[in-house]
DNA sequence: TGTACATCAGTGAACGCGCGTTCACTGATGTAC
DNA sequence: TGTACATCAGTGAACGCGCGTTCACTGATGTAC
């Protein structure tokens, strides 16, 4: 009996690859790390998990990053950048979309603050700094889309609204009863939407 | 040269101890675990850390709990119980106290939902269940102290307020800039307090 | 444009450490008489 | 109430596994001529 083996290379991730290939690999590592971390948390995702998701072996990791902590900081920064892409038009619309069932279910692709905020408090200085920068950007973005008498009032309202959104998503995902989860999202959506729609 | 050694026993935690001693040990393990978990998260606290904090050695652990996961579930339930002790009179007062600098700094003794909510999503079924039960109790408590036309509206408002409190504490602790942290707490406090004070 | 060689991205085995868990042992507790 | 013995809470060494990290090696890339 003869077994014919086809050597299928999904990507040419063999030995030495070109420089653009390497840059592409780095981007892929960061993207997959961002998704894995959001889904499973920093600690339970291993370096080997990330590299496998990126289609490489774990040994190549240290050619791209100094350490797992280094990866965490960069992946977090990337995920936060991805989240804050696009302009926020009206706070009420943003809240409705943020507090949607779709976002509730998409942990891996969803908001990094909701998915990883609680754990980042205990991470290294660089990860904390990335989070703080992302938080500042988000507050600014939301303040521009928040109604209010003056800049100070809009900023205040934006902060409170952002806290409610992140908190509601955390609580909804925490609950093991999906009816309660839906109620939490709905109640917070209502609170952030009410009175802001011109009718 | 002679060294005189005094054998100081802080507690008689030698071999076999009495049954009430054992019950006391279990309570101490749970209390210390609750504090350590809130401060450092589930993963970075080891069974040996907890037992040392309780004044015992790690080998005794499995006489008290089935596994680390078992400890997590019980410690979480205990911490949540501790948090929800006492009645909530007025939502605005509760929010002011919850969003205080004192609470912000007291992670180990503070709200377990804010301290561990983000991580509990990825914990076992029992830990999730304990969190869900705690969440339900908290919503009920707050709803009773929330102004509103009817039960449904009070409950809605209580949920949104609770989400804002947990979110604001998470964001404040996330920031590595204490000025921003204080601003987040202050803004959310203002949002939850405004209009509710009779003047 | 073609050839020779140095570089270096990726591979996979190996290292070492820490942690959850187990276990033989100890000796005080608690019970039976 | 006192004595003899079984029980069992706690001790500390040991086990085994997983994970972050290192390293010798490979062979394609990219450069010098």
């Amino acid at each position: 009996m003869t077994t014919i083996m086809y050597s299928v290379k999904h990507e040419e991730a063999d030995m030495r690859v070109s420089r653009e290939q390497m840059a592409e690999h780095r981007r892929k590592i960061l993207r997959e790390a961002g998704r894995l971390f959001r889904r499973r948390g920093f600690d339970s995702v291993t370096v080997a998990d990330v590299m496998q998701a990126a289609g490489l072996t774990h040994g190549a990791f240290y050619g791209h990053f100094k350490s797992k902590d280094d990866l965490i900081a960069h992946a977090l920064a990337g995920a936060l950048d991805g989240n804050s892409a696009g302009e926020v038009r009206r706070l009420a619309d943003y809240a409705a979309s943020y507090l949607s069932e779709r976002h509730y279910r998409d942990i891996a692709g969803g908001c990094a603050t909701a998915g990883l905020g609680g754990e980042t408090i205990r991470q290294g200085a660089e990860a904390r700094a990335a989070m703080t920068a992302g938080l500042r950007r988000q507050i600014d973005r939301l303040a521009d889309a928040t109604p209010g008498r003056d800049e100070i009032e809009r900023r205040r309202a934006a902060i409170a609204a952002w806290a409610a959104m992140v908190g509601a998503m955390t609580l909804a995902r925490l609950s093991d009863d999906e009816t309660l989860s839906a109620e939490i999202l709905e109640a917070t959506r209502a609170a952030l939407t009410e009175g802001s729609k011109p009718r």
Side-chain angles (χ1 to χ4, degrees), chain A:
Chain A
M1 240 211 264
T2 308
T3 306
I4 299 170
M5 298 187 61
Y6 294 94
S7 170
V8 180
K9 295 185 182 177
H10 294 273
E11 297 183 296
E12 318 81 55
D14 298 77
M15 300 296 125
R16 180 108 203 253
V17 299
S18 72
R19 279 171 190 163
E20 13 176 3
Q21 271 280 6
M22 193 193 179
E24 174 59 31
H25 285 167
R26 185 187 159 97
R27 280 192 295 275
K28 187 155 195 197
I29 292 167
L30 284 171
R31 194 168 56 241
E32 295 299 331
R35 293 186 61 84
L36 285 169
F37 286 148
R38 273 175 282 183
R39 193 197 306 279
R40 289 162 38 198
F42 297 123
D43 287 343
S44 74
V45 172
T46 70
V47 166
D49 287 338
V50 172
M51 294 305 277
Q52 187 176 18
L56 297 167
T57 55
H58 66 277
F61 177 78
Y62 293 87
H64 290 278
F65 299 96
K66 266 205 342 266
S67 63
K68 188 183 178 186
D69 275 353
D70 188 33
L71 171 68
I72 287 174
H74 282 96
L76 202 51
L80 287 163
D81 272 2
N83 286 154
S84 57
E87 191 141 0
V88 176
R89 299 210 163 217
R90 289 197 321 168
L91 183 71
D93 294 343
Y94 184 80
S97 151
Y98 189 94
L99 296 169
S100 66
E101 191 191 334
R102 181 196 173 96
H103 183 199
Y104 163 74
R105 299 204 182 281
D106 185 22
I107 304 189
C111 171
T113 306
L116 292 166
E119 309 196 10
T120 307
I121 297 172
R122 288 132 189 159
Q123 290 300 319
E126 290 171 27
R128 291 274 305 275
M131 265 290 180
T132 307
L135 180 54
R136 282 215 163 81
R137 251 182 293 131
Q138 179 72 340
I139 290 171
D140 290 346
R141 269 172 98 208
L142 294 182
D144 288 345
T146 302
R149 276 193 302 271
D150 53 26
E151 177 62 30
I152 292 172
E153 195 181 285
R154 283 199 298 275
R155 188 174 162 88
R156 265 196 170 182
I159 289 173
W162 182 230
M165 286 186 244
V166 172
M169 189 51 73
T170 302
L171 295 179
R173 291 197 180 135
L174 207 50
S175 161
D176 60 9
D177 172 0
E178 296 217 331
T179 305
L180 180 59
S181 303
E183 188 189 1
I184 291 165
L185 295 177
E186 201 276 320
T188 311
R189 216 184 300 137
L192 292 178
T193 306
E194 77 188 6
S196 79
K197 283 212 174 148
R199 35 178 155 162

